[in-house]
Amino acid sequence: MAIMDRGLNIRKTGRMSASRSNLVVNAALSIGLAHIMRTLAEKITTTYDPLHDVVNDSDEDEDFDWNKNLTDSKVIPDVISQGVQYNLKILFENDHVQYGNILVPFRVKEEPMFVGWPSDKHKYYTIVMTDPDNPEPEDNIHAEWLHWIIMDVQDVNRNVCRRVVPYQKPQQNDFRRLKGMHRYVIAVYEQPHANLTFNEPLDDEPPYADRAHFSSKWFVEKYKMKPACAANFFRINWG
């Protein structure tokens, strides 16, 4: 996991000052061995690539109403209870998540390379990804389907976090035949403290039935987390 300031490439493990006077720290996740090796190589060469410009904050963020998108798409209240304070930036291998843009399953088969939001270095955060439309929007009897949970994300301890629920790519399987347009929501919650005891039973073997019937709101209440501070979502059309 790498921590970045605004405007710093996630694939850099160093730090640099942003040009804007209002500097905030983004928490970022650089995930997978290939990405780690790439990060180390880039640290040696100290070169920047186009991703730097793409993930950099801009004045457009100030004019973009992400809570309107979350409300219009019914992510609020289906998954999170209220509007969020921050824009959540998410990057898969080559695709940015942009509040409802349509992606294809092949492009999201691995964990996101980058998850960033303005974070407090003294606090700990949890990242949750769910599908509230499982197995189909008109009959979501398995919702929410749990795809991913990472706990104890903190920017000052960038190599320390817990993947309490391994990432499961959006996919068809025998337990659930997916149909229609699905929302895949990634939200960030502030923990009350570090090292929360995660005691949810999860038999992570096919058909992955333990991932069904998850509730983000119940999860937040049980672990005494604050409402989501940042959220974003993409969609997949399963036909």
Side-chain angles (χ1 to χ4, degrees):
M1 184 171 69
I3 304 307
M4 63 169 287
D5 297 330
R6 280 190 173 179
L8 179 63
N9 194 318
I10 184 175
R11 294 172 180 168
K12 317 305 289 182
T13 57
R15 301 181 68 86
M16 64 183 287
S17 296
S19 58
R20 300 174 65 176
S21 58
N22 233 351
L23 182 65
V24 297
V25 179
N26 280 342
L29 301 173
S30 181
I31 300 171
L33 181 59
H35 303 322
I36 293 173
M37 296 303 295
R38 192 179 314 156
T39 301
L40 294 175
E42 290 180 4
K43 181 180 179 182
I44 295 172
T45 60
T46 63
T47 58
Y48 293 87
D49 62 31
L51 180 60
H52 168 74
D53 295 327
V54 175
V55 302
N56 187 26
D57 280 348
S58 69
D59 293 336
E60 293 178 0
D61 284 348
E62 300 175 1
D63 300 326
F64 178 67
D65 188 354
W66 49 82
N67 281 318
K68 184 178 187 303
N69 285 54
L70 294 171
T71 302
D72 290 348
S73 63
K74 298 185 179 179
V75 170
I76 303 172
D78 290 353
V79 178
I80 60 179
S81 58
Q82 61 189 53
V84 299
Q85 184 176 1
Y86 301 119
N87 177 20
L88 184 61
K89 296 186 176 182
I90 305 168
L91 176 71
F92 286 90
E93 181 67 31
N94 292 300
D95 293 285
H96 293 269
V97 175
Q98 298 175 337
Y99 293 94
N101 58 322
I102 299 176
L103 303 179
V104 295
F106 175 77
R107 305 300 287 270
V108 294
K109 64 181 180 180
E110 304 291 344
E111 293 178 342
M113 294 176 60
F114 174 86
V115 179
W117 71 98
S119 63
D120 185 325
K121 65 181 180 180
H122 301 295
K123 296 178 179 179
Y124 295 84
Y125 299 88
T126 291
I127 300 172
V128 179
M129 174 176 165
T130 65
D131 171 9
D133 300 313
N134 198 286
E136 55 183 295
E138 292 75 22
D139 188 23
N140 58 344
I141 57 173
H142 298 153
E144 299 166 49
W145 189 274
L146 178 60
H147 282 272
W148 193 36
I149 297 180
I150 294 183
M151 304 183 82
D152 291 338
V153 179
Q154 188 191 31
D155 61 356
V156 295
N157 294 322
R158 59 191 183 186
N159 294 317
V160 179
C161 66
R162 292 185 294 142
R163 287 164 174 80
V164 296
V165 177
Y167 181 81
Q168 183 192 74
K169 65 183 179 181
Q171 62 182 343
Q172 299 279 14
N173 64 42
D174 293 338
F175 180 72
R176 52 188 182 111
R177 301 304 298 173
L178 306 181
K179 297 180 181 179
M181 188 74 74
H182 287 226
R183 298 162 294 170
Y184 293 87
V185 181
I186 299 178
V188 179
Y189 304 93
E190 181 187 324
Q191 300 175 194
H193 54 78
N195 300 314
L196 292 174
T197 300
F198 182 81
N199 56 6
E200 311 306 320
L202 185 67
D203 181 13
D204 203 33
E205 298 291 336
Y208 309 106
D210 286 344
R211 290 179 179 254
H213 310 300
F214 181 81
S215 169
S216 294
K217 295 176 185 176
W218 169 86
F219 177 79
V220 169
E221 181 178 354
K222 176 178 179 178
Y223 291 95
K224 296 180 170 56
M225 298 184 186
K226 291 187 177 180
C229 62
N232 205 334
F233 73 104
F234 62 94
R235 297 181 295 162
I236 292 179
N237 189 352
W238 294 101

